[in-house]
Amino acid sequence: MNELTIPEWYENSDLDNVTCPPRASRRAGAPVRRALAAIGEAMTKFLIDSPCVGSWLGAVEPRLKVAGVFLLVIACTLLHSLWSLGAMFAMAVTLALSIGLPVKRLLGVWLGAPLFSLAIIIPAATNLVTPGDAVLRIWDFGGSVHLGPWVLPHAIIVTDSGLTVAARFLLRSLDCITLSYLLIASTDSMVLLNGLRRLGMPKVFGMVLTMTQRYLAVMLRVAEEIHLAKLSRTISAGPLRNEQKWVAAGIGMLFRRTQKLAGEVQNAMISRGYDGDLQIRLRAAIKASDVMWLICSLAFAFVLYVFDKR
Amino acid sequence: MTEVVFDVNDVFYAYPGCKPALDDVSFKISQGERVAILGANASGKSTLLHLLDGLYFANRGQVAAFDTVLTEDSVETPPFSREFRQKVGFLFQNSDAQLFCPTVAEELAFGPLQLRLSEADVERRVSDTLRLFGIEHLRDRSPQTLSGGEKKRVALASIITCSPKVILLDEPSAGLDPRTQQWLTEFLSVLHKSGVTLICTSHDLSFVAEVFDRVLIISEEHKLLYDGPTKEALHDLNLLLSANLIHSHEHFHEGKIHVHPHLHEAWHEHEHGERRKV
């Protein structure tokens, strides 16, 4: 075996002649780091934390709660009038406030809806997709433009019909997202999965969803560990290219580590008898108030649908 | 006649694209035995426990539990799957991986619920186990917020609620403070007295000497090097050295620095061969 000797540079470490970039460079990245940490924390909360479990909606029997929300979401997809969709949105917000869902969280959830819908909303609002009366002229080509086999109009115009289509799409997304989040916020994840399973969701979907939920939580924890490990050895931010290399390597490392840990979690679940059909404790049987929730959901969805068709 | 719990026959196992983790390993374990699996790092100890728990399956040879060969089919097909998962508990090395429920109480209830026990029975088991482990105050805590020792207790408690007849323990004493380690030693002895079979991997020879009667030693070549009484194994210097379980190193006591094979268990009564005064 080699003799263990501490290297000379270790014992006589002299950093006097070493120059580091000024501290400001590290500070410059601080807002980004803080933002990333906040996103990580929010995602962890979103995955693990159900803040309104103790609310009246949290007390509704999970199968009936899932069924009620499902009815409302289906109604959303059938509604056309902006007024009906607006009414559904108002109802969802009222529900959220009544169960004490923090407004900050709700805003965070809503922020995602337009962001992911932009790719559909923007073309849909213009005469490229939806013809109609001009509301706003965005670009004038001064003549017809050929784009491969397609001929573009003389100008790109936001149309009144386009705006209606975009607004309908956005409102429908917001309605569905808010209703789904109400369900998540008021139901423990395991109870929710159990409720879905009891409503006939195939066993394999239950298993995949359970594992995905666990996997994401594990991945966030590992990502944080990798980030902190790097931070503890970082004096100042390096060149952008090096940082990019580090991010790429970090993603690979994250994938390998989370895959291993997620495998361990899965083994631990199987070892204790999990066979894809998650069994959990349902604390109460179906009560009159649970049935009332389902009836109210059904009635509201029906009234809006009838109003919408008139 | 004592029931054979595990019958491992000429087992070969290699992870996909890797060198063998276990090669030609055979042994039997009977009900009520206390068996420690010893070996250097990466010798295949944990892999062997995974094979015994029906989480991995042998590439060659076979592992039988309670007279049934463990295959993907057999461990997923009722009634054996349910019976097997109830009879065999596995304490994983990484408690964080094992604890995946929102609260300690739900963690303890997870196993019995998967076994489809009644609500009243589950609650009774959870309450009794919390009391037995002295962790009633942790009932509604999230497992992620617990200390290392508390996590280990909760992980073990989550297995106990399934009332297993066999417990597989992967490095249970690693990272525990002395008091928790002593508690673990005592608890395992109590389990043994009630007829539970204990199978454990460990590097901690003093822990093994205290709790286990029989030792399986896996060599660095992933073969079974020794199968016999713990006492004999721990007094066979050459065996322990060849399995990389002890090593010669310089250490200090009785005012002297000297070199000899070092095991912190009964090995301090020795002739001081090479020595020098400080």
Side-chain angles (χ1 to χ4, degrees):
Chain A
M1 196 181 280
N2 293 334
E3 192 182 345
L4 291 175
T5 315
I6 301 293
E8 179 272 332
W9 53 259
Y10 188 95
E11 292 182 330
N12 304 310
S13 185
D14 180 12
L15 296 177
D16 289 348
N17 299 324
V18 180
T19 52
C20 284
R23 221 176 118 75
S25 62
R26 178 161 176 171
R27 273 199 200 129
V32 178
R33 279 198 296 274
R34 273 201 295 273
L36 286 173
I39 291 170
E41 194 184 344
M43 278 186 73
T44 310
K45 272 189 177 168
F46 185 80
L47 282 165
I48 297 168
D49 194 18
S50 304
C52 306
V53 171
S55 67
W56 67 266
L57 191 56
V60 175
E61 204 277 337
R63 280 171 298 178
L64 298 192
K65 184 162 43 176
V66 170
V69 171
F70 192 58
L71 275 173
L72 293 170
V73 169
I74 287 181
C76 283
T77 62
L78 297 174
L79 299 178
H80 271 265
S81 144
L82 293 182
W83 288 108
S84 314
L85 287 165
M88 182 68 88
F89 183 64
M91 190 276 295
V93 173
T94 311
L95 273 182
L97 295 176
S98 75
I99 63 169
L101 189 64
V103 178
K104 222 172 148 184
R105 283 233 188 158
L106 212 49
L107 289 174
V109 172
W110 287 339
L111 192 66
L115 277 179
F116 287 104
S117 309
L118 278 179
I120 297 170
I121 289 173
I122 292 174
T126 65
N127 60 340
L128 289 171
V129 177
T130 319
D133 295 334
V135 174
L136 178 69
R137 188 172 285 268
I138 298 175
W139 191 265
D140 206 333
F141 294 118
S144 61
V145 177
H146 290 264
L147 199 70
W150 297 284
V151 182
L152 296 182
H154 295 277
I156 296 180
I157 296 163
V158 175
T159 63
D160 58 347
S161 310
L163 279 179
T164 308
V165 169
R168 184 183 297 137
F169 183 84
L170 188 61
L171 261 178
R172 198 174 277 157
S173 309
L174 283 172
D175 284 353
C176 293
I177 287 172
T178 311
L179 287 167
S180 307
Y181 192 61
L182 280 179
L183 186 63
I184 294 167
S186 63
T187 322
D188 180 81
S189 56
M190 286 199 160
V191 176
L192 181 59
L193 287 167
N194 181 268
L196 289 168
R197 177 82 186 97
R198 298 278 89 80
L199 282 171
M201 182 178 68
K203 202 170 174 177
V204 65
F205 286 1
M207 195 166 198
V208 168
L209 280 174
T210 311
M211 292 303 169
T212 305
Q213 199 249 357
R214 286 304 309 159
Y215 187 85
L216 287 173
V218 162
M219 190 173 79
L220 281 167
R221 198 171 348 128
V222 175
E224 192 186 8
E225 282 172 12
I226 292 175
H227 171 68
L228 290 176
K230 186 199 177 237
L231 201 63
S232 73
R233 284 179 286 159
T234 302
I235 296 163
S236 63
L240 182 63
R241 200 170 173 75
N242 284 358
E243 292 294 305
Q244 286 169 342
K245 275 185 190 168
W246 182 86
V247 169
I251 290 169
M253 166 88 76
L254 178 66
F255 179 72
R256 286 171 65 175
R257 285 182 61 182
T258 51
Q259 192 184 25
K260 184 171 180 287
L261 197 52
E264 286 177 17
V265 171
Q266 185 185 13
N267 281 338
M269 292 176 82
I270 292 170
S271 176
R272 280 198 275 158
Y274 175 61
D275 59 0
D277 190 2
L278 188 66
Q279 304 294 314
I280 58 139
R281 285 203 268 191
L282 293 174
R283 287 189 170 76
I286 294 174
K287 307 182 292 290
S289 57
D290 302 332
V291 179
M292 187 58 78
W293 151 259
L294 189 63
I295 291 171
C296 287
S297 304
L298 183 63
F300 190 77
F302 182 72
V303 167
L304 273 188
Y305 181 73
V306 171
F307 173 77
D308 192 71
K309 292 294 159 200
R310 281 174 62 195
Chain B
M1 198 176 135
T2 321
E3 185 192 3
V4 172
V5 176
F6 286 115
D7 187 355
V8 177
N9 209 347
D10 291 335
V11 161
F12 173 92
Y13 182 84
Y15 290 95
C18 297
K19 288 177 182 172
L22 289 168
D23 190 3
D24 199 19
V25 173
S26 300
F27 58 86
K28 285 182 185 180
I29 293 177
S30 301
Q31 183 65 46
E33 278 198 274
R34 291 184 291 183
V35 183
I37 302 170
L38 300 179
N41 287 338
S43 58
K45 307 183 296 293
S46 292
T47 306
L48 184 52
L49 285 191
H50 281 74
L51 285 164
L52 295 179
D53 198 36
L55 296 170
Y56 299 166
F57 301 94
N59 300 133
R60 278 202 313 268
Q62 63 181 35
V63 178
F66 310 102
D67 297 326
T68 302
V69 176
L70 297 183
T71 61
E72 282 181 67
D73 267 351
S74 67
V75 298
E76 286 177 10
T77 311
F80 179 73
S81 57
R82 186 170 182 268
E83 187 191 335
F84 178 70
R85 293 296 172 211
Q86 189 270 314
K87 281 185 174 174
V88 183
F90 191 171
L91 181 76
F92 286 74
Q93 186 175 356
N94 182 358
S95 299
D96 279 328
Q98 183 151 11
L99 304 176
F100 45 76
C101 293
T103 66
V104 169
E106 285 178 64
E107 199 66 63
L108 267 61
F110 184 87
L113 284 168
Q114 307 320 301
L115 297 171
R116 276 69 167 175
L117 297 184
S118 71
E119 176 68 24
D121 205 3
V122 171
E123 183 49 44
R124 189 161 60 88
R125 285 180 182 224
V126 170
S127 303
D128 288 351
T129 310
L130 285 169
R131 201 166 33 249
L132 176 68
F133 279 69
I135 51 172
E136 289 151 300
H137 60 291
L138 303 178
R139 186 183 177 107
D140 295 319
R141 287 264 300 273
S142 162
Q144 307 306 324
T145 63
L146 305 179
S147 69
E150 286 172 335
K151 279 182 185 172
K152 194 62 91 180
R153 275 184 196 234
V154 173
L156 189 54
S158 71
I159 295 166
I160 294 299
T161 49
C162 293
S163 59
K165 300 288 169 257
V166 181
I167 299 181
L168 310 170
L169 306 113
D170 197 358
E171 306 269 5
S173 58
L176 296 183
D177 59 52
R179 197 181 301 151
T180 313
Q181 193 166 334
Q182 184 56 35
W183 170 85
L184 180 68
T185 304
E186 286 170 13
F187 186 73
L188 293 180
S189 299
V190 170
L191 282 177
H192 170 65
K193 278 179 194 154
S194 63
V196 175
T197 308
L198 300 171
I199 304 169
C200 167
T201 66
S202 184
H203 282 115
D204 185 345
L205 298 185
S206 58
F207 172 68
V208 169
E210 207 166 341
V211 182
F212 298 92
D213 312 312
R214 180 182 162 196
V215 159
L216 304 176
I217 297 179
I218 314 265
S219 70
E220 289 182 286
E221 290 73 39
H222 314 285
K223 292 176 180 292
L224 187 61
L225 198 61
Y226 174 87
D227 179 358
T230 306
K231 207 170 179 182
E232 283 178 25
L234 295 188
H235 284 80
D236 188 339
L237 269 183
N238 290 331
L239 174 68
L240 298 177
L241 275 168
S242 65
N244 193 14
L245 289 167
I246 59 170
H247 61 117
S248 296
H249 68 139
E250 214 173 54
H251 72 248
F252 176 86
H253 70 95
E254 290 183 1
K256 302 179 177 64
I257 290 177
H258 54 266
V259 178
H260 64 82
H262 200 125
L263 165 64
H264 288 275
E265 185 66 29
W267 286 100
H268 282 89
E269 292 177 22
H270 55 75
E271 292 295 318
H272 285 165
E274 292 173 37
R275 67 171 80 172
R276 61 187 164 89
K277 281 191 177 176
V278 181

